[in-house]
């Protein structure tokens, strides 16, 4: 369902080192054209079907956060 909403995978697994706090064994970061597109994807019937497949077999933390397009440090 991600491509339907214009998502682009920025990170999907790979080696990493936790330097502060806690982490899970796999990290995935997607970029959507807008905050609203990300919410629409999460609330879509297509994503609901994907959630049903992983129910009881995977633990997920999902955060949808608005991006920042201003000056970078």
């Amino acid at each position: 369902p991600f491509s339907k909403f214009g998502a682009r995978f920025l990170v999907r697994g790979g080696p990493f080192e936790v330097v502060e706090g806690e982490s899970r064994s796999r990290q995935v970061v997607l970029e959507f054209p807008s905050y609203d597109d990300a919410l629409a994807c999460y609330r879509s019937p297509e994503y609901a079907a994907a959630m049903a497949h992983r129910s009881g077999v995977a633990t997920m933390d999902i955060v949808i956060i608005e991006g920042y397009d201003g000056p970078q440090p």
Side-chain angles (χ1 to χ4, degrees):
F2 302 117
S3 61
K4 175 181 176 179
F5 294 93
R8 185 170 73 104
F9 282 83
L10 302 179
V11 175
R12 188 173 182 192
F16 65 92
E17 181 177 336
V18 178
V19 295
E20 286 190 39
E22 298 179 22
S23 181
R24 295 203 180 267
S25 60
R26 184 170 182 87
Q27 313 298 323
V28 179
V29 178
L30 284 81
E31 178 182 55
F32 286 84
S34 72
Y35 183 78
D36 290 336
D37 288 324
L39 288 173
C41 179
Y42 181 76
R43 295 172 178 158
S44 71
E46 295 91 345
Y47 194 75
M51 285 192 297
H53 285 290
R54 72 162 193 263
S55 179
V57 296
T59 302
M60 308 225 3
D61 294 312
I62 299 174
V63 176
I64 297 174
I65 186 168
E66 189 170 19
Y68 176 71
D69 290 330
Q72 300 295 315

